[in-house]
Amino acid sequence: MSSYNPAAEKANSLGLPLGVASVSLALLVLGILAFVAGLFRDPQSTWLAFHSNFIFTTLLACAGLTLASIYTIVDAKWCGPYRRFAEGLAAWIPFAFLMGIIGMFGGPYLFEWYYSPMHGKEAWLNPARVYTTDLVLLGGMALLAVAFLKASARPTLRELAESGEGIAQRMAQKWTAGWQGDEAEREIAKKKTNRLAPIICLVFAIGFSVFNFDQVMSMEQAWYSNLFGAYMCWGGILSAIAASALLGVLHRDTPGYEGEITESRMHDIGKLLFGFSIFWMYLLWA
């Protein structure tokens, strides 16, 4: 395994590249306009497209948080920046909760059971039960994400709070209020993340298996598989590892990461991706 670098981390806000930010904003506006137009022209296809994106991005974000929690539980010292990449994915979870609220309006176009559930499944497959359960799960995971990310990032933000600028500095100042010193803050952060990590893993493994039953498996209400929830959740974990590996390649030369994304660490994340791919394929076969 690659060596552990004990040097204290420091946040380095580079700001959004103007070109990328402009293109992203333009695509966001285009996506909203296309979504609205699609609702008038072909609502079912539009809601299916929305739902597919909702499921993929939600599982990727929640799995990123779970992956960071796994690193915490096993006290992984090899991962370095790859833990931060996983946490970066987790920052989407509050937005996934908002997408879940919007997705409620597409239920009649997505689920046959919305108005006529199969006999014997009425108590489980009904809008009140499904959306209450799933939004509570998403909302709870969003709160856990904010708490975990704040605890994990706080020890790195002091310098940014003092010498940064703009919204990054204001957020760093808010998140470092009541600073108790570098060593004390790192110890507090470790204790908080150690408490939160097992809860996050349990919520993801158990709660989001139910979420997958509701949001994906029930689209064909006559078919069921007990393994389907685990298959979907593990697919999210695998996607988070793959995304982390890709982000590592793309950020090797980014200021602040010099010498951190080493060949040894890239080899480690590659082995993790390979091993977890085999397990995911085993679930598919089973």
Side-chain angles (χ1 to χ4, degrees), residues 1-12:
M1 301 296 282
S2 54
S3 60
Y4 172 55
N5 182 3
E9 292 179 284
K10 295 181 180 179
N12 180 22

Side-chain angles (χ1 to χ4, degrees), residues 11 35 54 56-57 59-60 68-69 78 80 88 127-129 156 170 185 215 218-219 247 258 261 265 278:
F35 177 70
F54 167 62
F56 177 75
T57 56
L59 286 182
L60 180 62
S69 299
W78 65 268
R129 203 286 307 164
T156 73
R170 292 193 295 273
E185 289 294 341
Q215 295 292 327
S218 75
M219 295 179 79
L247 289 168
E258 299 94 337
I261 304 174
R265 278 181 169 147
I278 292 174

Side-chain angles (χ1 to χ4, degrees), residues 234 237-238 241 271-281:
W234 198 259
I237 293 284
L238 182 60
I241 295 171
K271 288 187 288 186
L272 196 63
L273 181 63
F274 175 71
F276 282 21
S277 296
I278 292 174
F279 183 69
W280 185 66
M281 286 302 296

Side-chain angles (χ1 to χ4, degrees), residues 16-131:
L16 290 174
L18 184 59
V20 174
S22 300
V23 171
S24 298
L25 181 60
L27 290 174
L28 174 63
V29 173
L30 179 62
I32 292 173
L33 293 175
F35 177 70
V36 173
L39 291 178
F40 287 99
R41 299 188 56 169
D42 188 353
Q44 184 172 36
S45 295
T46 301
W47 280 115
L48 283 168
F50 177 90
H51 194 64
S52 298
N53 280 276
F54 167 62
I55 295 299
F56 177 75
T57 56
T58 297
L59 286 182
L60 180 62
C62 292
L65 181 64
T66 305
L67 183 59
S69 299
I70 293 170
Y71 291 149
T72 299
I73 292 170
V74 302
D75 196 23
K77 296 180 171 61
W78 65 268
C79 49
Y82 289 107
R83 169 173 170 156
R84 298 303 182 188
F85 295 145
E87 291 178 348
L89 298 173
W92 177 255
I93 298 177
F95 297 97
F97 176 69
L98 296 178
M99 290 183 71
I101 295 174
I102 295 171
M104 290 173 53
F105 298 98
Y109 298 96
L110 298 171
F111 304 112
E112 292 179 352
W113 51 258
Y114 196 90
Y115 293 121
S116 56
M118 288 181 62
H119 177 66
K121 296 188 177 183
E122 296 91 347
W124 183 263
L125 294 181
N126 62 81
R129 203 286 307 164
V130 168
Y131 286 112

Side-chain angles (χ1 to χ4, degrees), residues 89 177 191 254:
L89 298 173
K191 290 180 180 178
T254 300

